[in-house]
Amino acid sequence: MNQEYIKKEFKKLKREEEKFINRNITVKENKWQEKFGSYIPDKLDKTLDNAFSKAFELVFEKGTVIIEKTYDKEKRKQDFKVNEYSADLRNNRKSIKKFEKMAFGSKVLNMAISTAEGVGMGVFGMGLPDIPVFISVILKSVYETALHFGFGYETEEEQIFILKIIRTALCHEDELIDGDMEINGWIGQGGSPFIEDKKTQIKKTSDLLAKEMLYLKFIQGIPVAGVAGGISDVIYQKKITDYAVLKYKRRFLTKHMEKNL
């Protein structure tokens, strides 16, 4: 691939990363949360934390096979190889952009699934039972993003990377900046082993999700009114997938920059 086009895409990517950080660096407080605060059970955050942890463990251990039935994994791999060959052959910027375009198509479809799932559960006041499905849809979206850029998700190292993406996407302030720098450092080093193991990453990611979604999952547990909480599923899924696209695109560009040196 033409180094000039890759460098241009890298500059564009860095601007997109800066925009993401600027949009999410500040914690936005909602006044309606204060009104519901006194009604939320004291141990709900711990219950949510455990629910998210169990959902991640279950999906990573047994759910990936089920998720893969919702898309053609081998076709995704073949599509990537065809697009990569085309990009090498045509050597233009348009062919490089095609990887991101395909990832965008999968993102839109998964957002529709997340909306239907979240609202459907909210109508019946199902907040906690929604969590395994919510995590499955998020991982489905990230898995497909990885495949579109030529990366896997089966190994423990890749799963730690995915957990770091999910957690960092939902962070604010210094945690967001530090997390983003850590991920970029890992990508720049060619995927050297992470210091923390998968179990630790599941705990940290689950804890953050529980804090971020405490009020929304409480509301989702109220029949009919829970629709508002259910809509939050797609909002969080979009933010995580947007960030995943940025990080897998960075991995893709970094790989091809090093390949052509």
Side-chain angles (χ1 to χ4, degrees):
M1 293 183 197
N2 189 297
Q3 283 291 298
E4 182 184 345
Y5 295 133
I6 292 176
K7 286 177 181 178
K8 284 181 179 178
E9 281 300 305
F10 223 118
K11 285 181 180 179
K12 181 189 171 187
L13 171 68
K14 287 179 179 178
R15 290 195 297 270
E16 290 170 346
E17 288 175 331
E18 286 175 8
K19 286 179 183 178
F20 183 92
I21 290 173
N22 290 335
R23 278 198 311 268
N24 297 287
I25 195 165
T26 304
V27 180
K28 296 176 183 178
E29 297 291 342
N30 295 307
K31 290 184 179 180
W32 62 267
Q33 290 182 349
E34 296 177 10
K35 296 179 181 179
F36 280 98
S38 59
Y39 297 101
I40 295 177
D42 293 335
K43 294 182 179 180
L44 181 59
D45 57 342
K46 184 65 178 176
T47 303
L48 278 175
D49 191 349
N50 289 333
F52 279 120
S53 289
K54 288 178 181 177
F56 276 121
E57 289 169 2
L58 181 65
V59 176
F60 278 139
E61 184 180 347
K62 299 178 180 178
T64 296
V65 176
I66 298 171
I67 291 172
E68 287 177 345
K69 290 181 180 179
T70 65
Y71 57 85
D72 192 331
K73 181 181 177 182
E74 291 308 312
K75 187 177 184 305
R76 294 280 191 276
K77 287 183 175 182
Q78 288 299 319
D79 287 344
F80 170 78
K81 288 178 181 178
V82 170
N83 290 333
E84 187 176 41
Y85 177 76
S86 176
D88 284 333
L89 196 65
R90 293 181 180 179
N91 234 349
N92 58 33
R93 200 172 179 187
K94 186 178 179 181
S95 61
I96 297 175
K97 285 174 171 287
K98 193 167 185 180
F99 300 94
E100 188 174 4
K101 187 178 179 181
M102 294 194 71
F104 177 78
S106 291
K107 183 186 82 170
V108 171
L109 177 60
N110 287 318
M111 283 174 61
I113 295 170
S114 186
T115 302
E117 169 265 319
V119 172
M121 292 285 197
V123 168
F124 297 102
M126 299 171 72
L128 288 177
D130 163 73
I131 289 175
V133 183
F134 172 63
I135 293 300
S136 295
V137 176
I138 284 179
L139 289 178
K140 170 179 165 20
S141 191
V142 177
Y143 287 173
E144 290 188 83
T145 300
L147 291 172
H148 284 310
F149 284 101
F151 298 99
Y153 47 77
E154 299 87 353
T155 67
E156 183 166 318
E157 197 71 15
E158 289 293 345
Q159 289 172 3
I160 294 172
F161 179 71
I162 289 169
L163 288 163
K164 281 185 174 289
I165 282 176
I166 295 170
R167 185 174 185 277
T168 304
L170 302 181
C171 283
H172 305 286
E173 300 177 344
D174 289 345
E175 277 191 305
L176 173 57
I177 294 171
D178 293 344
D180 188 66
M181 286 177 64
E182 183 184 0
I183 289 173
N184 289 348
W186 183 84
I187 293 171
Q189 292 169 13
S192 58
F194 286 111
I195 296 173
E196 296 167 328
D197 59 18
K198 188 169 80 172
K199 187 176 181 180
T200 302
Q201 283 308 312
I202 287 176
K203 180 70 182 73
K204 285 186 174 183
T205 306
S206 299
D207 182 58
L208 183 63
L209 277 165
K211 288 176 182 175
E212 277 285 315
M213 303 187 75
L214 178 63
Y215 293 90
L216 294 164
K217 286 301 170 190
F218 171 72
I219 293 173
Q220 194 177 2
I222 303 171
V224 183
V227 169
I231 291 172
S232 68
D233 284 5
V234 73
I235 294 171
Y236 281 99
Q237 191 235 321
K238 180 183 182 301
K239 185 186 287 189
I240 291 166
T241 308
D242 284 347
Y243 189 67
V245 170
L246 293 175
K247 296 300 109 176
Y248 278 107
K249 183 179 178 181
R250 176 177 274 269
R251 284 183 74 176
F252 171 80
L253 293 175
T254 299
K255 176 184 172 182
H256 283 277
M257 281 184 73
E258 292 171 350
K259 185 175 163 182
N260 294 324
L261 288 177

